[in-house]
Amino acid sequence: VAIVGSGRASVEEQFLLRELATQLKAVRVDLVARTGQGDGLLLSADRNPNVRGALVTGLISELPSSQLLALGDTIDAGKVKVILTHGEDLADVGLTEDQIAKVSIVYLGSHANLTSAVATVVVPGLTVFEKSGSFINQQFRLQRFAQAVPGPVGVLPDIASLSFLASLLEGNSARATSPQEVWSKLSTIVPALAGTTFQSIGDLGKQLDATAWENLPFIEGKSLKYTPKAPAVTV
């Protein structure tokens, strides 16, 4: 099994995806990068809102690529039979039609695309406006966001669907349906988030210790409220 996560997913969703990756002994876990021209003020060159969340939760350990060519090589080598993708269209990230045809796909997302059309299993999801959760911004500030509009009738939050899959693999009935329930486990497993609850994040967010990741070559560059630390030089 390989897993393709999303930099647009919440901290809670990324944590549950990491738990699934561990339970499934995933041979690869990838995140899809999205970049564009930043303005040095409010528009970031990183178009994903939550790459920091994927790093902090341990879903990934290095910065993502826009093209998942290494995943394609792993498929061609016969090392991947199933891909679980969270909201990402595999046809847009460098996989060929032949490579996609070689695997069974489980797609969890809010919009139809080429991947959902060929997926073995499709699990409907919600847009960011239809659910609640948290992101970690460029400053490594943890911030909450709240559901703005109701989702389609009968569609569960992604948290509930991912938690349901995890509970099946664990052989228990403990399932989270809200960010608050995910945090009861998340805060005991992720060191940077220890002792935090969804409620304690507060309206102004919570600044995290970014020491473990501050030397990564983040793409954003300097902006209105963010100045990246220069990468360490080894001599």
Side-chain angles (χ1 to χ4, degrees):
V1 177
I3 289 179
V4 177
S6 175
R8 297 181 292 192
S10 69
V11 169
E12 297 79 12
E13 292 162 354
Q14 291 171 342
F15 171 73
L16 290 171
L17 206 58
R18 170 204 156 172
E19 292 289 282
L20 282 171
T22 300
Q23 294 161 2
L24 293 168
K25 297 181 174 59
V27 297
R28 288 194 63 85
V29 177
D30 290 287
L31 205 74
V32 177
R34 289 180 178 80
T35 60
Q37 184 65 44
D39 64 4
L41 295 172
L42 299 178
L43 182 62
S44 173
D46 185 353
R47 297 296 200 258
N48 280 327
N50 202 31
V51 170
R52 265 71 164 185
L55 290 165
V56 170
T57 58
L59 179 63
I60 58 172
S61 58
E62 56 187 36
L63 295 179
S65 301
S66 60
Q67 299 291 290
L68 306 186
L69 302 182
L71 174 58
D73 292 340
T74 308
I75 294 171
D76 289 336
K79 297 179 180 178
V80 173
K81 301 298 183 185
V82 178
I83 296 179
L84 169 59
T85 174
H86 185 203
E88 298 292 357
D89 186 356
L90 302 180
D92 282 343
V93 296
L95 298 190
T96 66
E97 289 184 16
D98 288 342
Q99 289 168 337
I100 292 174
K102 290 178 181 178
V103 296
S104 295
I105 297 170
V106 178
Y107 174 79
L108 168 59
S110 59
H111 287 70
N113 51 40
L114 293 176
T115 297
S116 67
V118 300
T120 305
V121 177
V122 175
V123 181
L126 297 176
T127 68
V128 68
F129 306 105
E130 298 165 338
K131 56 191 176 184
S132 300
S134 59
F135 290 146
I136 298 175
N137 74 5
Q138 291 180 10
Q139 300 171 291
F140 279 86
R141 179 173 290 277
L142 175 66
Q143 298 175 299
R144 297 183 305 192
F145 63 88
Q147 179 183 1
V149 295
V153 175
V155 178
L156 296 174
D158 296 33
I159 284 174
S161 297
L162 291 168
S163 181
F164 178 76
L165 292 174
S167 70
L168 292 178
L169 292 169
E170 293 173 348
N172 62 48
S173 59
R175 301 170 186 172
T177 59
S178 67
Q180 292 88 337
E181 292 173 312
V182 176
W183 275 91
S184 63
K185 183 176 183 181
L186 191 161
S187 62
T188 65
I189 293 179
V190 179
L193 303 175
T196 303
T197 66
F198 190 68
Q199 291 84 351
S200 72
I201 296 172
D203 293 336
L204 298 179
K206 178 179 180 178
Q207 185 63 47
L208 304 179
D209 181 1
T211 304
W213 305 280
E214 61 186 1
N215 288 318
L216 289 176
F218 292 108
I219 194 173
E220 296 93 340
K222 188 177 186 303
S223 60
L224 180 63
K225 293 186 177 181
Y226 173 71
T227 301
K229 183 174 181 178
V233 177
T234 303
V235 295

